Amino acid sequence: MRVFARKSLGLFLSYLLVIAVFMLGCQSNQGGTAAPSQTDGAKPDAASATTAKTVSELKIGLPTDAGPLNIYTGNIDYLTELVFDKLFSPSPYVDKPQPWLAESAQQLDDLTWVVKIRSGIKWHDGTPFTAEDVKFTYEYYRDGPANRHTHHVSEVPHIEKIELDDPSTVRFTCAYACPTLDKITFADLPILPKHIWEKVQNPRKYTELPIGTGPYKLVEYKADQYYKFEANKDYFMGSPLVDTLVMPVIKDPTAIFNALRSGEIDISARPIPAELQASFSNLPNMRVVETAPLSLIELKLNYDKAPFNQEAFRNAMSLAVDRQAISDTVLLGQGRPGLKGYPHPDSPWTNPNLSTPYDVEKAKTVLDGLQFVDKNQDGVRETADGKELSFSLKVPSTEPQWIRAAEMLKEQYAKVGIKVKVEVLDSGTMATVSQTRDFDLVISNIGAHGVADPDQFVMSHRSSYLWNKDIPYPAMDELTKKWMAETSVDKRKEIAFQMQELFNKQPTSIVLYYPEEKFAFRSEKFDQWVESPGFGIINKYSLLPDEVKKAVAKQ
């Protein structure tokens, strides 16, 4: 499913070629966009590919509510991308994103790019899409409040000037070298309509339903209840296969799978846990498919607090974790242990030689060297001033696999003299903990934007996620300077590999495992799902015309 041959791609010459070229370009080094495999590993070929059919309505169960798709207040990428398009697609998580809203992009020198905008595209309200919208969007992101996308303009990289060369051409001038602008920034930032957003003074208070250029328009939203989308019949990539998408919000895991089993929904956006997969596979007209999400489950260390602010202590914390044991016990074969560390090993931007070894004796030696010893022989080490190495590990009540992993971490850390108390908290409290950084240790997950986008890895060390740029980190700071000065994509990647190696020797995020995901859906209702790296099968490309599926079958 995930092994493709690459071909050289030029400009789109016709509508059909647009779609075929795009889908051939949606490939990472692990295989990109593909028709999902059967649970038994079967792989469909071109001859057996299911003929696309139009569906009047599809019901997709959502495990969470992202609000009215205002990217400043809530963001789920696969929902946002139903409404909004980007200059390039599908994402920064593949080797070669292809022009989408852009007709072409050309780098003129180390700092300058020009982008030709595709003509004939309209916003959902009928207003023509223009280069002015692109210029406005990038300036709005750069100069306004931060959101999930804005660092790609404001800091990593920093686009200093955005100008119009003519009515269909935008010129971007960076403050420092930006060799991957087409591969990363252009493939990540959704374009906003200037005629609407130029009137928005405070984007965090904007509550109107979004207007985009995408294949679907959000026509109705009720908080914590449902979303309703209608197809954009004039979409420039062709009319979508499904007329209406209804997405009820079902936060309880048991309830969402019961809804799928009973036929209340046609697919769940929450992956099927390992213990339920067999029961769903045996249901009539139900199909279970496997995807490789670019996500990971991490143990976050609060580097703002002692002793987590010490590089050697973080190294010992990493050495003490038996990731293989956690994976074997918790995942039931559905995922891989985090032996390659951070970021995700399937990203084309990740060092393939990363390693995070398990070595209890070495962990003990490091702790001894820090003068953390068990003075009273009670099994728990103390600091020089007699304070126990005792920490709280917070984990959300909605994630039973994470709770089991937390209990195993408690046992593993006890072997090296570190005491861990597991605290299971509700989702609201967990969100507050993350915002206030009121924690010692916490288990969480992070998706493709965080662990498959190379610019985000750099930004995470500047934005307080993996590190805070106001705290000295000489070795990483020096590599970051070299990274920013480098003009070659390949050489910049080599520097990024060094940064990743440094991070994994003294991590603030210890990768426990890389989950694999299986989704169940009612195949008699809709059987045209395709996988896009980092998005799974619930993505807008699954809902585009039959030519997409034919292109996918050309492996």
Side-chain angles (χ1 to χ4, degrees):
M1 178 177 74
R2 303 187 184 97
V3 178
F4 286 73
R6 286 207 170 274
K7 296 183 179 181
S8 174
L9 301 175
L11 297 176
F12 297 113
L13 300 178
S14 67
Y15 165 70
L16 177 58
L17 186 58
V18 168
I19 296 175
V21 167
F22 164 70
M23 292 308 297
L24 286 173
C26 295
Q27 302 161 18
S28 74
N29 60 347
Q30 282 290 313
T33 305
S37 68
Q38 299 280 359
T39 53
D40 63 1
K43 184 170 81 172
D45 56 25
S48 64
T50 306
T51 302
K53 63 178 181 179
T54 301
V55 176
S56 60
E57 181 180 275
L58 200 61
K59 293 182 178 179
I60 303 173
L62 301 179
T64 188
D65 184 345
L69 302 191
N70 176 349
I71 58 177
Y72 281 87
T73 56
N75 193 81
I76 298 177
D77 282 351
Y78 60 82
L79 293 183
T80 300
E81 295 227 345
L82 291 174
V83 175
F84 294 102
D85 287 310
K86 302 169 296 190
L87 293 177
F88 275 56
S89 277
S91 69
Y93 321 138
V94 299
D95 280 327
K96 296 179 181 178
Q98 298 301 309
W100 201 250
L101 287 176
E103 183 178 292
S104 64
Q106 181 182 5
Q107 185 175 15
L108 302 184
D109 56 43
D110 294 342
L111 304 179
T112 311
W113 288 78
V114 290
V115 174
K116 191 78 171 177
I117 302 303
R118 194 182 301 276
S119 63
I121 298 173
K122 292 183 178 181
W123 295 100
H124 292 154
D125 61 5
T127 304
F129 162 75
T130 71
E132 286 278 3
D133 295 305
V134 177
K135 180 178 185 294
F136 167 81
T137 296
Y138 275 66
E139 290 177 338
Y140 196 88
Y141 286 157
R142 183 193 63 194
D143 303 332
N147 67 35
R148 121 98 174 87
H149 307 274
T150 54
H151 78 82
H152 279 310
V153 183
S154 63
E155 190 163 355
V156 184
H158 178 201
I159 302 180
E160 199 165 45
K161 291 192 295 185
I162 303 116
E163 305 167 291
L164 295 183
D165 281 1
D166 60 50
S168 63
T169 307
V170 187
R171 177 181 293 259
F172 299 89
T173 304
C174 300
Y176 58 87
C178 50
T180 59
L181 211 62
D182 59 336
K183 294 177 170 61
I184 310 298
T185 294
F186 295 164
D188 188 66
L189 271 64
I191 304 301
L192 303 174
K194 176 183 177 182
H195 66 285
I196 293 175
W197 280 83
E198 66 182 348
K199 304 169 187 175
V200 178
Q201 299 299 316
N202 187 342
R204 299 194 188 284
K205 293 185 177 181
Y206 185 69
T207 58
E208 298 298 317
L209 297 185
I211 297 295
T213 58
Y216 284 90
K217 180 177 180 179
L218 179 60
V219 296
E220 193 172 350
Y221 163 73
K222 290 192 179 297
D224 289 325
Q225 294 186 45
Y226 66 87
Y227 293 80
K228 183 178 180 180
F229 298 84
E230 289 184 355
N232 175 9
K233 298 294 186 179
D234 296 322
Y235 189 52
F236 69 100
M237 286 295 184
S239 181
L241 298 176
V242 180
D243 295 333
T244 303
L245 301 174
V246 177
M247 301 187 184
V249 177
I250 309 173
K251 296 182 179 181
D252 179 74
T254 300
I256 199 169
F257 297 132
N258 285 341
L260 179 59
R261 189 178 285 109
S262 67
E264 294 176 43
I265 58 176
D266 302 309
I267 186 172
S268 164
R270 179 184 285 273
I272 304 295
E275 59 270 21
L276 295 181
Q277 288 165 15
S279 65
F280 275 97
S281 296
N282 292 329
L283 291 175
N285 297 317
M286 188 73 72
R287 187 179 172 198
V288 177
V289 298
E290 180 180 317
T291 69
L294 295 171
S295 64
L296 54 82
I297 308 303
E298 60 181 351
L299 174 67
K300 292 178 63 177
L301 317 181
N302 192 342
Y303 58 82
D304 286 331
K305 291 184 174 183
F308 305 111
N309 58 349
Q310 298 183 53
E311 298 171 1
F313 184 72
R314 298 197 303 272
N315 175 241
M317 291 287 288
S318 178
L319 290 167
V321 177
D322 187 348
R323 298 159 176 82
Q324 186 68 58
I326 291 174
S327 176
D328 291 344
T329 303
V330 171
L331 297 184
L332 302 178
Q334 191 173 325
R336 292 172 285 166
L339 302 177
K340 292 282 189 177
Y342 196 110
H344 200 287
D346 291 350
S347 168
W349 304 99
T350 298
N351 185 341
N353 299 316
L354 295 178
S355 176
T356 53
Y358 169 55
D359 192 330
V360 169
E361 295 308 313
K362 187 173 180 180
K364 291 178 180 179
T365 299
V366 173
L367 293 170
D368 289 343
L370 291 169
Q371 304 302 306
F372 295 157
V373 295
D374 182 9
K375 299 175 183 177
N376 58 8
Q377 301 299 307
D378 66 349
V380 181
R381 293 173 183 264
E382 293 91 33
T383 62
D385 59 3
K387 185 178 179 180
E388 278 191 337
L389 287 186
S390 178
F391 308 111
S392 167
L393 169 52
K394 302 181 189 298
V395 60
S397 59
T398 54
E399 299 293 342
Q401 286 186 330
W402 301 4
I403 296 172
R404 290 197 291 272
E407 293 295 341
M408 292 189 69
L409 285 168
K410 176 181 177 179
E411 296 174 2
Q412 291 176 6
Y413 281 126
K415 294 178 181 178
V416 298
I418 297 175
K419 183 179 180 180
V420 171
K421 177 184 178 183
V422 176
E423 293 186 60
V424 179
L425 306 175
D426 63 83
S427 298
T429 305
M430 286 296 298
T432 300
V433 164
S434 297
Q435 292 170 0
T436 61
R437 295 188 61 78
D438 182 21
F439 67 89
D440 297 323
L441 305 166
V442 64
I443 293 181
S444 63
N445 68 327
I446 183 167
H449 177 63
V451 296
D453 177 333
D455 290 2
Q456 180 57 47
F457 179 79
V458 175
M459 189 63 198
S460 290
H461 282 83
R462 304 172 67 81
S463 64
S464 300
Y465 192 83
L466 298 178
W467 197 254
N468 188 321
K469 63 182 177 182
D470 295 327
I471 302 174
Y473 193 166
M476 188 66 76
D477 293 343
E478 182 61 29
L479 286 172
T480 300
K481 289 179 183 178
K482 291 181 179 179
W483 183 90
M484 288 181 170
E486 182 52 61
T487 61
S488 160
V489 174
D490 290 338
K491 290 182 179 178
R492 176 173 275 195
K493 184 183 286 190
E494 290 176 6
I495 297 169
F497 285 3
Q498 295 175 46
M499 298 168 75
Q500 294 164 13
E501 289 177 354
L502 174 63
F503 176 81
N504 282 285
K505 290 177 182 176
Q506 49 194 43
T508 56
S509 167
I510 296 174
V511 180
L512 302 179
Y513 55 87
Y514 315 107
E516 293 174 356
E517 294 179 346
K518 293 186 179 179
F519 293 89
F521 59 87
R522 296 192 163 273
S523 56
E524 85 283 5
K525 189 67 177 288
F526 187 76
D527 196 20
Q528 302 302 310
W529 304 103
V530 294
E531 182 184 3
S532 182
F535 291 92
I537 61 172
I538 300 175
N539 59 71
K540 70 183 180 186
Y541 313 109
S542 288
L543 304 168
L544 292 179
D546 190 40
E547 285 81 357
V548 172
K549 279 68 179 175
K550 292 177 181 177
V552 170
K554 296 175 182 177
Q555 300 180 21

